[in-house]
Amino acid sequence: MAYIPKNLNGSEKNFVLNEQISELIQENERLAESYMAMAQATREFDDVGWTSINQLQERGVTLPELKLIAANARKQTNQNAILKRGASLRASYVFGRGFKMSSNNQPLAPRYMDIINDAINQQVLFSESACKKNEKILFTSGNFFARYDKTTRRWGRVPIEQITGWVVDSTDPEILTYILHEYDKVISMNPDGTHQTEHVKVWYPLDYTETPVRSINDVAVNKYIVIVDHRENDDTGSLWGLPDCLPALPWAWAYSEYLKDGSKMLKALSGIAWQVKSKSTKGANSASAKLLNNRQVAATAVTGSDVELSAMPRNNAVDLETGRPLAAMSATAMEVSVDALLSGTGSTAAGSQVLDQSTLNAAYGRQGNWENFFTRVLRVMGVRDPSVKFNKIIVDPSYRSVQSLGQAWQTGLFDSQIIQNAYAEELGIEAQGPVPSGVLIPNNQNSAAVAAVPGGTRPGADVNAAPTNVATSQGNSGAGVGDLTNSDNTLRDIQNLPQ
């Protein structure tokens, strides 16, 4: 609110106040025009150096257009809170619980674990932060390329901006077989901090290219480096993927502009505290002067009978919640919940802690695509019969998980080491130590031998009987004290006899 100097007389103060009110009215008119132009601005969002989004659907995106889209999408995602939140949510849903890799349903051999645990490879592919970063690359560009150097056994990223050419399969134009990588390689560093660089131009074959050629258009093909690609949102007949955030960009921008304009309106309205109505100009000037001179808290304004004084409304002068549909369109485009996107500011915030089924299905679908990608990665590394499995996004409470592990153990289908590792992971035990000697796997033929107790075999026990569950459960009181005989309900039966 503007400050009016005290040394002005009544008429001068009224003049200054009238000018301020006039400026506020003009500001409101400009805001109204801004609201009217918002829809048109949203439709024209793709005109700012962009190819029309509608044209992308008709003929597919070209590589130069994709590079321009990716650069703008990356900039918007880093600056716009809605897009940044959407990218973070998607990455957390997909990689928040991690995944497991195996070979022939067995843990990976140490030589492969050495490659995975390499510091560089962790930064590029296998750490949680690397996985979330790669998911963000798909969010802003729709295409992710990883290269594997067979000589150094190191992985690296190939940014879409450094790809300048490509070759497709002769029978299927949707299948990439080679990409041309152009970049400046740092040779040395000068004392002043500048770099000596060398421009490199080389072709890389993709992992399913069986017999790479030596050169393409007189440019060498590096057969010791293999590319594994991951493309999202690519339609039939198109070669390149599209960013996940592309359909959300105009709506996120519109919501951001709505909040900016709304906050300006609130600030403008906060400059007018009282409304004075009078039949005469003299009465209005007198009331205005009293309000300006009296700055005490809970003061009283004494006016004539012809002067009406009323306070301007404060609550809901501008309801910013009316812009929620714009945020909902952004959430729909990014396949996340609007409550989660707005950090639970809506009326259904209490229920936003549980993921809805549509969001889960979108995350499961993306996890399946990443499973295919990492399976190809393991094959390139030489792993036989690789398998990649994501952990559950929604997990049960610990007490339920422990019960499930207990039931799984009683089936006798799992090794004691596997069960111990699962218990330790669920309970947060870092050093669980080795499995104690003598642990018996339930429901196993070897468990029947435990029917022998100190001093001989319990009378009536059939050592060769079919093994059953020795644990206490519904309808089974379990073995007697100090006795692990299968299905021993002797104590229960004695207790139930008539006295």
Side-chain angles (χ1 to χ4, degrees):
M1 183 174 180
Y3 172 73
I4 300 178
K6 293 183 178 180
N7 57 358
L8 298 179
N9 57 37
S11 59
E12 291 176 334
K13 290 181 179 179
N14 290 337
F15 176 77
V16 174
L17 180 61
N18 290 333
E19 280 196 342
Q20 291 181 357
I21 294 176
S22 177
E23 292 177 358
L24 290 175
I25 293 174
Q26 295 178 4
E27 177 69 16
N28 292 342
E29 292 177 352
R30 288 194 294 268
L31 289 175
E33 294 177 357
S34 177
Y35 283 120
M36 293 176 61
M38 183 178 296
Q40 181 65 22
T42 302
R43 290 192 296 268
E44 295 176 353
F45 178 76
D46 53 4
D47 291 341
V48 188
W50 289 53
T51 299
S52 174
I53 296 178
N54 294 331
Q55 296 180 10
L56 298 181
Q57 299 176 352
E58 296 173 358
R59 58 174 176 78
V61 62
T62 64
L63 184 58
E65 292 170 348
L66 177 61
K67 292 180 180 180
L68 181 60
I69 291 172
N72 282 276
R74 191 180 304 111
K75 180 180 179 181
Q76 293 293 328
T77 301
N78 291 332
Q79 296 179 352
N80 188 289
I82 291 293
L83 295 175
K84 183 178 183 297
R85 172 71 171 172
S88 176
L89 286 175
R90 291 177 62 91
S92 298
Y93 293 159
V94 176
F95 289 105
R97 294 282 300 168
F99 58 92
K100 297 181 177 65
M101 297 177 288
S102 61
S103 171
N104 290 318
N105 295 323
Q106 298 294 328
L108 295 178
R111 62 181 182 276
Y112 301 126
M113 292 304 302
D114 291 340
I115 300 176
I116 293 174
N117 294 329
D118 179 81
I120 300 298
N121 294 337
Q122 283 285 315
Q123 294 181 25
V124 174
L125 275 187
F126 299 108
S127 67
E128 181 178 351
S129 60
C131 290
K132 291 183 177 180
K133 183 176 182 179
N134 297 336
E135 174 65 21
K136 185 179 178 181
I137 292 176
L138 293 179
F139 186 82
T140 56
S141 72
N143 299 266
F144 175 66
F145 296 89
R147 61 183 181 91
Y148 180 67
D149 192 330
K150 297 179 181 179
T151 57
T152 62
R153 302 194 301 177
R154 288 272 177 84
W155 287 93
R157 300 185 184 95
V158 179
I160 191 69
E161 292 78 12
Q162 297 180 358
I163 298 178
T164 58
W166 68 93
V167 176
V168 298
D169 186 79
S170 58
T171 60
D172 191 344
E174 295 183 13
I175 303 299
L176 282 171
T177 54
Y178 299 89
I179 63 169
L180 181 61
H181 187 200
E182 288 194 48
Y183 63 100
D184 292 328
K185 180 180 179 181
V186 178
I187 300 177
S188 61
M189 180 178 293
N190 299 325
D192 57 356
T194 59
H195 298 83
Q196 294 284 345
T197 60
E198 175 188 4
H199 188 71
V200 178
K201 191 175 183 180
V202 60
W203 288 94
Y204 298 143
L206 271 82
D207 56 316
Y208 41 73
T209 303
E210 297 180 355
T211 307
V213 298
R214 293 186 177 181
S215 63
I216 301 175
N217 294 334
D218 298 329
V219 178
V221 175
N222 191 337
K223 64 180 181 180
Y224 298 105
I225 292 181
V226 177
I227 294 292
V228 180
D229 66 329
H230 185 181
R231 290 170 285 170
E232 289 289 345
N233 309 308
D234 52 331
D235 294 326
T236 302
S238 62
L239 185 60
W240 308 102
L242 290 174
D244 293 323
C245 69
L246 183 60
L249 284 173
W251 299 107
W253 176 83
Y255 183 68
S256 176
E257 290 299 307
Y258 178 86
L259 294 182
K260 290 178 183 178
D261 293 342
S263 63
K264 290 179 181 178
M265 180 70 78
L266 286 173
K267 183 177 181 180
L269 293 176
S270 66
I272 304 176
W274 299 92
Q275 183 182 25
V276 179
K277 295 181 181 180
S278 176
K279 297 180 181 179
S280 64
T281 305
K282 182 179 179 180
N285 294 338
S286 176
S288 300
K290 291 180 180 179
L291 289 175
L292 293 172
N293 292 328
N294 195 346
R295 299 177 179 271
Q296 298 178 1
V297 178
T300 302
V302 181
T303 62
S305 60
D306 63 335
V307 178
E308 179 183 351
L309 180 65
S310 59
M312 295 296 293
R314 279 288 178 266
N315 296 331
N316 299 325
V318 177
D319 187 7
L320 298 181
E321 278 294 319
T322 57
R324 187 177 175 85
L326 296 174
M329 290 297 295
S330 300
T332 301
M334 291 183 286
E335 297 182 302
V336 297
S337 166
V338 63
D339 286 327
L341 188 64
L342 298 180
S343 299
T345 60
S347 58
T348 59
S352 64
Q353 298 179 1
V354 180
L355 296 180
D356 58 273
Q357 192 60 46
S358 60
T359 302
L360 280 175
N361 291 340
Y364 290 147
R366 180 56 59 87
Q367 284 183 344
N369 295 343
W370 278 113
E371 286 178 357
N372 295 334
F373 172 83
F374 278 105
T375 300
R376 292 168 58 190
V377 165
L378 294 179
R379 286 199 182 102
V380 168
M381 292 165 48
V383 178
R384 293 185 178 180
D385 193 17
S387 176
V388 179
K389 184 67 175 178
F390 274 83
N391 298 322
K392 292 181 179 180
I393 298 177
I394 302 296
V395 296
D396 292 331
S398 294
Y399 72 92
R400 290 186 179 179
S401 298
V402 168
Q403 290 176 350
S404 299
L405 289 174
Q407 294 175 357
W409 168 249
Q410 295 301 333
T411 63
L413 300 177
F414 296 93
D415 182 74
S416 56
Q417 183 66 59
I418 296 177
I419 293 295
Q420 186 195 48
N421 294 338
Y423 269 107
E425 181 179 357
E426 181 62 35
L427 300 177
I429 301 174
E430 292 292 337
Q432 66 268 26
V435 176
S437 59
V439 172
L440 298 174
I441 299 179
N443 203 26
N444 187 283
Q445 63 180 357
N446 294 328
S447 300
V450 189
V453 296
T457 303
R458 181 182 59 82
D462 185 3
V463 179
N464 298 320
T468 56
N469 192 344
V470 299
T472 302
S473 60
Q474 184 175 2
N476 180 19
S477 61
V481 178
D483 188 354
L484 297 179
T485 304
N486 297 328
S487 298
D488 184 7
N489 294 318
T490 304
L491 296 180
R492 184 195 66 182
D493 296 338
I494 295 175
Q495 185 178 7
N496 292 335
L497 290 176
Q499 300 297 326

